[in-house]
Each structure stands twice: as structure tokens, then as C-alpha cells.
Coordinates of all heavy atoms in Angstrom, one line a residue:
P1459 N -4.1 7.9 3.5 CA -4.4 8.9 4.6 C -5.0 10.2 4.0 O -4.9 10.5 2.8 CB -3.0 9.2 5.1 CG -2.1 9.0 3.9 CD -2.7 7.8 3.2
S1460 N -5.7 10.9 4.8 CA -6.3 12.2 4.4 C -5.3 13.3 4.4 O -5.5 14.3 3.7 CB -7.6 12.5 5.3 OG -7.2 12.6 6.6
T1461 N -4.3 13.2 5.3 CA -3.2 14.2 5.4 C -1.9 13.5 5.4 O -1.8 12.4 5.9 CB -3.4 15.2 6.6 OG1 -3.3 14.4 7.8 CG2 -4.7 15.9 6.5
V1462 N -0.8 14.2 5.0 CA 0.5 13.7 5.1 C 1.5 14.8 5.4 O 1.3 15.9 4.9 CB 0.9 12.9 3.8 CG1 0.9 13.9 2.6 CG2 2.2 12.2 4.0
T1463 N 2.5 14.6 6.2 CA 3.4 15.6 6.6 C 4.8 15.4 5.9 O 5.3 14.3 5.9 CB 3.6 15.6 8.1 OG1 2.4 15.8 8.7 CG2 4.6 16.7 8.6
Y1464 N 5.3 16.5 5.4 CA 6.6 16.5 4.8 C 7.3 17.8 5.0 O 6.8 18.9 4.9 CB 6.5 16.3 3.3 CG 7.7 16.4 2.5 CD1 8.8 15.5 2.6 CD2 7.9 17.4 1.5 CE1 9.9 15.6 1.9 CE2 9.0 17.5 0.7 CZ 10.1 16.6 0.9 OH 11.2 16.7 0.2
N1465 N 8.6 17.7 5.5 CA 9.4 18.9 5.8 C 8.6 19.9 6.8 O 8.5 21.1 6.6 CB 9.8 19.7 4.6 CG 11.0 19.0 3.9 OD1 11.6 18.1 4.4 ND2 11.2 19.4 2.6
D1466 N 8.0 19.3 7.8 CA 7.2 20.0 8.8 C 6.0 20.7 8.3 O 5.3 21.5 9.0 CB 8.1 21.1 9.5 CG 9.3 20.5 10.2 OD1 9.1 19.4 10.8 OD2 10.4 21.1 10.3
N1467 N 5.6 20.4 7.0 CA 4.3 20.9 6.5 C 3.3 19.8 6.3 O 3.7 18.7 5.9 CB 4.6 21.6 5.1 CG 5.4 22.8 5.2 OD1 5.2 23.7 6.0 ND2 6.4 22.9 4.3
T1468 N 2.1 20.1 6.7 CA 1.0 19.0 6.6 C 0.2 19.4 5.4 O -0.3 20.5 5.3 CB 0.2 19.0 7.9 OG1 1.0 18.6 9.0 CG2 -0.9 17.9 7.7
Y1469 N 0.0 18.4 4.5 CA -0.7 18.6 3.3 C -2.0 17.7 3.3 O -2.0 16.6 3.8 CB 0.1 18.2 2.1 CG 1.4 19.0 1.9 CD1 2.6 18.5 2.4 CD2 1.4 20.2 1.2 CE1 3.8 19.2 2.3 CE2 2.5 20.9 1.0 CZ 3.7 20.4 1.6 OH 4.9 21.2 1.4
S1470 N -3.0 18.2 2.6 CA -4.2 17.4 2.4 C -4.1 16.6 1.2 O -3.6 17.1 0.1 CB -5.5 18.3 2.3 OG -6.6 17.6 2.1
V1471 N -4.5 15.3 1.3 CA -4.4 14.4 0.1 C -5.7 14.6 -0.7 O -6.8 14.1 -0.2 CB -4.2 12.9 0.5 CG1 -4.2 12.0 -0.7 CG2 -2.9 12.8 1.4
T1472 N -5.6 15.2 -1.8 CA -6.9 15.6 -2.6 C -7.1 14.8 -3.8 O -8.2 14.9 -4.4 CB -6.9 17.1 -2.9 OG1 -5.7 17.4 -3.7 CG2 -6.8 17.9 -1.6
S1473 N -6.2 14.0 -4.3 CA -6.4 13.3 -5.5 C -5.5 12.0 -5.6 O -4.5 11.9 -5.0 CB -6.2 14.1 -6.8 OG -4.8 14.5 -6.8
I1474 N -6.0 11.0 -6.4 CA -5.3 9.9 -6.7 C -4.9 10.1 -8.2 O -5.7 10.1 -9.1 CB -6.1 8.6 -6.6 CG1 -6.8 8.5 -5.2 CG2 -5.2 7.3 -6.8 CD1 -5.9 8.5 -4.0
G1475 N -3.6 10.2 -8.4 CA -3.1 10.6 -9.8 C -3.2 9.5 -10.8 O -3.4 8.3 -10.5
W1476 N -2.9 9.9 -12.1 CA -2.8 8.9 -13.2 C -1.8 7.8 -12.8 O -0.7 8.0 -12.3 CB -2.3 9.7 -14.4 CG -3.3 10.6 -15.1 CD1 -4.3 11.2 -14.5 CD2 -3.3 11.0 -16.4 NE1 -5.0 12.0 -15.4 CE2 -4.4 11.9 -16.6 CE3 -2.5 10.7 -17.5 CZ2 -4.7 12.5 -17.8 CZ3 -2.8 11.3 -18.7 CH2 -3.9 12.1 -18.9
Y1477 N -2.2 6.6 -13.1 CA -1.4 5.4 -13.0 C -0.8 5.2 -11.6 O 0.1 4.4 -11.4 CB -0.2 5.5 -14.0 CG -0.5 5.6 -15.4 CD1 -0.6 6.9 -16.0 CD2 -0.8 4.5 -16.2 CE1 -0.9 7.0 -17.4 CE2 -1.1 4.6 -17.5 CZ -1.2 5.9 -18.1 OH -1.5 6.0 -19.4
A1478 N -1.4 5.8 -10.6 CA -0.9 5.8 -9.2 C -0.7 4.3 -8.7 O 0.3 4.0 -8.1 CB -1.8 6.5 -8.3
F1479 N -1.6 3.4 -9.0 CA -1.5 2.0 -8.6 C -1.6 1.1 -9.7 O -2.1 -0.1 -9.5 CB -2.5 1.8 -7.5 CG -2.4 2.6 -6.2 CD1 -3.1 3.7 -6.0 CD2 -1.4 2.3 -5.3 CE1 -3.0 4.5 -4.9 CE2 -1.2 3.1 -4.2 CZ -2.0 4.2 -4.0
D1480 N -1.2 1.5 -10.9 CA -1.2 0.6 -12.1 C -0.5 -0.7 -11.8 O 0.6 -0.7 -11.4 CB -0.5 1.4 -13.2 CG -0.7 0.8 -14.6 OD1 -0.7 -0.5 -14.7 OD2 -0.9 1.5 -15.6
H1481 N -1.2 -1.8 -12.1 CA -0.6 -3.1 -12.0 C -0.3 -3.5 -10.5 O 0.6 -4.4 -10.3 CB 0.6 -3.3 -12.9 CG 0.3 -3.6 -14.3 ND1 0.0 -2.6 -15.2 CD2 0.1 -4.8 -15.0 CE1 -0.2 -3.2 -16.4 NE2 -0.2 -4.5 -16.3
C1482 N -0.9 -2.9 -9.6 CA -0.7 -3.3 -8.2 C -1.6 -4.5 -7.9 O -2.6 -4.4 -7.1 CB -0.9 -2.1 -7.2 SG 0.3 -0.8 -7.3
S1483 N -1.3 -5.6 -8.5 CA -2.2 -6.8 -8.4 C -2.3 -7.4 -7.0 O -3.2 -8.2 -6.7 CB -1.8 -7.8 -9.4 OG -0.4 -8.2 -9.2
G1484 N -1.3 -7.0 -6.1 CA -1.3 -7.6 -4.8 C -2.2 -6.8 -3.8 O -2.4 -7.2 -2.7
L1485 N -2.7 -5.7 -4.2 CA -3.7 -4.9 -3.4 C -5.0 -5.7 -3.2 O -5.5 -6.2 -4.2 CB -4.0 -3.5 -3.9 CG -2.9 -2.5 -3.8 CD1 -3.3 -1.2 -4.4 CD2 -2.5 -2.2 -2.3
T1486 N -5.5 -5.8 -2.0 CA -6.7 -6.6 -1.8 C -7.9 -5.7 -1.4 O -9.0 -6.0 -1.7 CB -6.5 -7.6 -0.7 OG1 -6.1 -7.0 0.5 CG2 -5.5 -8.7 -1.1
S1487 N -7.6 -4.5 -0.8 CA -8.7 -3.6 -0.5 C -8.1 -2.2 -0.4 O -6.9 -2.0 -0.1 CB -9.4 -3.9 0.8 OG -8.6 -3.7 1.9
V1488 N -8.9 -1.2 -0.8 CA -8.4 0.2 -0.7 C -9.5 1.1 -0.1 O -10.7 0.9 -0.4 CB -8.1 0.7 -2.2 CG1 -7.9 2.2 -2.1 CG2 -7.0 0.0 -2.8
T1489 N -9.1 1.9 0.8 CA -10.0 2.9 1.4 C -9.5 4.3 1.0 O -8.3 4.7 1.3 CB -10.0 2.8 3.0 OG1 -10.4 1.5 3.3 CG2 -10.9 3.8 3.6
I1490 N -10.3 5.0 0.3 CA -10.0 6.3 -0.2 C -10.6 7.4 0.8 O -11.9 7.3 1.0 CB -10.5 6.5 -1.6 CG1 -9.8 5.5 -2.5 CG2 -10.2 8.0 -2.1 CD1 -10.3 5.5 -3.9
P1491 N -9.9 8.3 1.3 CA -10.4 9.2 2.4 C -11.3 10.3 1.8 O -11.4 10.5 0.6 CB -9.1 9.8 3.0 CG -8.2 9.8 1.8 CD -8.4 8.6 1.1
N1492 N -12.1 10.9 2.7 CA -13.0 12.0 2.3 C -12.3 13.2 1.8 O -13.0 14.1 1.2 CB -13.9 12.3 3.5 CG -14.8 11.2 3.9 OD1 -15.2 10.4 3.1 ND2 -15.3 11.2 5.2
S1493 N -11.0 13.3 2.0 CA -10.3 14.5 1.5 C -10.1 14.4 0.0 O -9.9 15.5 -0.6 CB -8.9 14.6 2.2 OG -8.1 13.4 1.9
V1494 N -10.1 13.2 -0.6 CA -9.9 13.1 -2.0 C -11.1 13.5 -2.8 O -12.2 13.1 -2.5 CB -9.5 11.6 -2.3 CG1 -9.5 11.3 -3.8 CG2 -8.1 11.3 -1.7
T1495 N -10.8 14.3 -3.9 CA -11.9 14.8 -4.7 C -11.9 14.1 -6.1 O -12.9 14.2 -6.8 CB -11.9 16.3 -4.9 OG1 -10.7 16.7 -5.5 CG2 -12.1 17.0 -3.5
S1496 N -10.8 13.5 -6.5 CA -10.8 12.9 -7.9 C -9.9 11.7 -7.9 O -8.9 11.6 -7.2 CB -10.3 13.9 -8.9 OG -8.9 14.3 -8.6
I1497 N -10.3 10.7 -8.7 CA -9.6 9.5 -9.0 C -9.2 9.5 -10.4 O -10.0 9.5 -11.3 CB -10.4 8.3 -8.7 CG1 -10.9 8.3 -7.2 CG2 -9.6 7.0 -9.0 CD1 -11.8 7.2 -6.8
G1498 N -7.9 9.6 -10.7 CA -7.4 9.9 -12.0 C -7.4 8.7 -13.0 O -7.7 7.6 -12.6

């Protein structure tokens, strides 16, 4: 998602962090939103 809500606050998703999906061999496709500026 481009945004996510936690404790009544909405945050913009701006990066995919280090090792975020390391060894997620079952993923078949990924869509990265326009809010993200870096892939770690």
C-alpha cells in the first residue's frame, strides 16, 4: 500500500527496508506503489 494507518495516524509508505522480503520464495508478483522512493 502507499499509505497505512496505525494508532489513528496515517503514514506514507516511502521505502522497502533491508531484508524486508528476504527468502520469501512464495511471492509470485509484487507491486510497489508510487509513494516508495527507495528499495533497500
Side-chain angles (χ1 to χ4, degrees):
S1460 57
T1461 61
V1462 64
T1463 300
Y1464 173 64
N1465 282 349
D1466 296 325
N1467 294 312
T1468 299
Y1469 299 93
S1470 181
V1471 179
T1472 58
S1473 64
I1474 312 298
W1476 287 25
Y1477 302 95
F1479 297 100
D1480 190 324
H1481 278 87
C1482 290
S1483 58
L1485 286 178
T1486 55
S1487 68
V1488 172
T1489 300
I1490 298 171
N1492 293 335
S1493 60
V1494 169
T1495 60
S1496 64
I1497 300 173

